[in-house]
Amino acid sequence: MTEARVVTEHPLIITLQDAVAGNGFLARITLFGRTLMRQEGGKWWMYGVQPSAIAASGNNIAEAFLNFKNSYQVILFDIAQDSKDFSEFKREVERFFNEADSDNEDERMWYESLKTIRTQNCQPPDEFADLPRQSPESIPSSLTVDRVDAKDQTKFTPKDNVADGHSYARAA
């Protein structure tokens, strides 16, 4: 029997949906992204891969995710504050989402961790046992920024809702 390899960099898939009011508009932002989680100095740290410009920590993975989400919301609110209209807001949110970190190190580590999980006998730590497992290929990174206050907007339905969450990248 092969000994399980310990993985220290954990590739996560995140889903976030937010409503943001701006200067004359209301927007719904739906994000399917990537983060890398690791334990450092007794805390769990979540580093953004896409979007890349966020890092947050917590005493456990749930707290790190909540702090990451809160940091993300603050950035959205700041962009809304600085945008003169919806078009500018959408452009800046898309730029933020697609902007890579300066050396792409976290993205490289995310893919290396995924490769390790897929090619080695790896078990995630117990802290990740309750997270759903999802294939990254089934949920590609994406962002939609919709204006929801437009007069020609179709009627809203409960199917428009997307639950915030995070999942562990599945090996296969």
Side-chain angles (χ1 to χ4, degrees):
M1 188 158 134
T2 308
E3 185 176 318
R5 181 167 179 210
V6 176
V7 177
T8 57
E9 309 288 338
H10 306 282
L12 299 183
I13 302 162
I14 60 170
T15 305
L16 303 172
Q17 186 175 72
D18 294 279
V20 176
N23 292 308
F25 65 87
L26 179 64
R28 178 180 55 219
I29 301 92
T30 306
L31 175 146
F32 297 97
R34 306 287 184 260
T35 64
L36 191 64
M37 189 169 275
R38 63 178 165 259
Q39 199 165 26
E40 297 175 349
K43 294 223 181 238
W44 283 98
W45 280 87
M46 183 175 262
Y47 294 95
V49 172
Q50 192 167 20
S52 68
I54 307 172
S57 68
N59 292 319
N60 54 54
I61 62 171
E63 187 176 289
F65 173 73
L66 179 61
N67 291 337
F68 185 93
K69 179 179 174 35
N70 289 340
S71 295
Y72 169 71
Q73 283 181 324
V74 167
I75 291 168
L76 292 179
F77 296 160
D78 287 347
I79 293 171
Q81 179 70 36
D82 295 340
S83 298
K84 68 179 187 299
D85 58 23
F86 176 75
S87 295
E88 184 177 337
F89 174 77
K90 181 178 180 178
R91 187 172 50 252
E92 286 304 307
V93 171
E94 289 171 344
R95 182 197 57 74
F96 165 73
F97 178 75
N98 291 307
E99 189 173 73
D101 59 336
S102 61
D103 60 3
N104 286 332
E105 183 63 14
D106 287 331
E107 182 176 16
R108 185 194 64 74
M109 289 173 27
W110 193 90
Y111 283 105
E112 282 296 315
S113 296
L114 180 61
K115 180 180 173 186
T116 299
I117 289 168
R118 287 182 167 173
T119 60
Q120 313 262 333
N121 181 22
C122 298
Q123 289 296 322
D126 292 341
E127 292 87 352
F128 296 94
D130 293 334
L131 287 185
R133 304 294 192 256
Q134 293 183 304
S135 168
E137 293 79 11
S138 70
I139 304 174
S141 289
S142 66
L143 175 82
T144 57
V145 182
D146 296 314
R147 184 167 184 173
V148 294
D149 66 323
K151 295 194 186 322
D152 62 346
Q153 176 70 30
T154 59
K155 187 175 182 181
F156 297 111
T157 68
K159 291 188 287 184
D160 295 326
N161 296 320
V162 175
D164 291 340
H166 54 294
S167 57
Y168 203 80
R170 186 170 56 194

